[in-house]
Amino acid sequence: QKIALKNMDSAVFMRSVDADLTGKTDPYRITFIGDSITHGVAVKHNQTLSHEVNELLGYNYDCYNAGVSGTMAYVGIGRNQTYVYQNQFVAAKGNRADLVVVMLGTNDSRCIMDSDEVMFTGDELESWHQRWLTEYSDLVDAVNYEGTQLVFVTPPWLCIQNWTDETIRKMGEWVRELVDMYDNAVLFDMYAVTENKPEWLDDKLHPNATGYENMASAFTAWLVNESGISLNKTAARTIDISPVDNSDYKQAHSTVINNYSGTFNKDNF
């Protein structure tokens, strides 16, 4: 099932376990925000992280996949796409989830290295560091409603060329700093779960079905037993996922916006 979200520029899709909210009671809603690893670019809909978590939690919960391939927390970077410019971000805000799980940083890690794939140091790295904390927290603030609980997830381990373990781990350090900025946030270390598991990655970057199954199992066990997060509904929330454009963010940033230009395989949903 898909939610079609159209604006003046494009139509994209938000993967969802249960997209039809018509006439339903108000379940505990979990929104997963992220890049292609959250989206599940290499697997079918029923093999993604959000779907696997929903299967484990059961259908008193609705898990929504608002991942967009190629996106990052950094705003206005030309190489990849800014998450807050995406229609899925509009949907994530309107979903008003009880729990928001954010896993960004993989694509951002490419921004903190030079052309020789050496990580920046000193003032240059610190400048990117402070910018990332600001722009990531701006994203989070937009989905952080009263009563919402947050999980910040470190970027998973990978073993592909053009990314480096050093920069991925650096992003993980910065994610830990974000947790300290919010009273309602906790950390899940996906890097530790996936480290040195190349068999979970078909292309050395994106998890395969086995990878997602194991990632979801570890995350759900932690969420239920260790996170300290209450998974009980505390208040009804009105959902607003009407088709709207993202012009407020377009007006706020002078950088030209490149909407998601990837392709969706209809057989993957």
Side-chain angles (χ1 to χ4, degrees):
Q1 297 182 19
K2 304 183 288 285
I3 299 174
L5 299 164
K6 297 183 178 180
N7 70 9
M8 65 180 76
D9 299 302
S10 64
V12 295
F13 298 98
M14 181 176 178
R15 284 188 162 185
S16 173
V17 168
D18 188 355
D20 184 7
L21 300 175
T22 306
K24 289 191 175 295
T25 56
D26 189 26
Y28 189 98
R29 292 193 298 278
I30 305 174
T31 295
F32 288 77
I33 288 174
D35 49 37
S36 57
I37 297 172
T38 296
H39 177 76
V41 69
V43 298
K44 294 184 177 181
H45 165 71
N46 62 358
Q47 297 171 321
T48 62
L49 179 63
S50 58
H51 187 98
E52 292 281 6
V53 170
N54 212 150
E55 289 288 317
L56 292 168
L57 287 175
Y59 284 88
N60 289 325
Y61 301 87
D62 275 353
C63 293
Y64 291 84
N65 186 339
V68 185
S69 182
T71 54
M72 60 172 65
Y74 281 126
V75 174
I77 303 298
R79 183 187 180 280
N80 282 294
Q81 299 196 34
T82 300
Y83 185 82
V84 296
Y85 292 163
Q86 309 304 314
N87 287 334
Q88 283 88 338
F89 178 58
V90 176
K93 290 189 293 182
N95 197 33
R96 299 177 64 89
D98 301 282
L99 176 64
V100 177
V101 180
V102 190
M103 184 169 64
L104 288 166
T106 299
N107 293 315
D108 303 75
S109 72
R110 295 281 294 144
C111 297
I112 62 170
M113 64 173 76
D114 62 23
S115 58
D116 294 322
E117 299 174 11
V118 176
M119 189 171 73
F120 298 142
T121 59
D123 290 345
E124 187 170 16
L125 181 61
E126 182 58 20
S127 175
W128 284 100
H129 174 207
Q130 294 303 322
R131 175 178 174 178
W132 192 80
L133 291 176
T134 297
E135 293 175 346
Y136 199 122
S137 60
D138 285 347
L139 182 163
V140 170
D141 290 345
V143 297
N144 187 20
Y145 294 97
E146 183 177 357
T148 294
Q149 299 176 97
L150 304 171
V151 176
F152 294 140
V153 183
T154 58
W157 179 84
L158 48 78
C159 54
I160 193 172
Q161 290 182 341
N162 302 323
W163 269 266
T164 71
D165 188 60
E166 183 182 28
T167 55
I168 291 294
R169 286 188 286 107
K170 179 58 68 175
M171 285 292 162
E173 292 176 13
W174 295 357
V175 169
R176 286 172 168 81
E177 292 182 43
L178 282 164
V179 174
D180 294 334
M181 295 168 61
Y182 293 87
D183 294 335
N184 58 331
V186 292
L187 175 80
F188 181 74
D189 191 355
M190 191 65 81
Y191 182 94
V193 171
T194 55
E195 187 176 10
N196 295 322
K197 302 285 195 312
E199 66 275 16
W200 292 4
L201 307 171
D202 279 348
D203 62 356
K204 300 184 179 181
L205 171 61
H206 298 102
N208 53 32
T210 298
Y212 281 119
E213 183 178 357
N214 283 284
M215 290 163 67
S217 178
F219 177 81
T220 306
W222 168 84
L223 181 64
V224 172
N225 300 314
E226 301 176 36
S227 69
I229 292 173
S230 171
L231 296 177
N232 296 317
K233 192 80 176 180
T234 57
R237 292 169 181 262
T238 302
I239 301 173
D240 178 12
I241 50 174
S242 57
V244 293
D245 65 43
N246 219 356
S247 56
D248 55 340
Y249 274 85
K250 295 178 183 182
Q251 293 171 1
H253 301 283
S254 59
T255 306
V256 175
I257 296 166
N258 298 314
N259 282 278
Y260 179 64
S261 58
T263 58
F264 291 91
N265 180 347
K266 65 181 178 61
D267 296 326
N268 282 355
F269 289 87

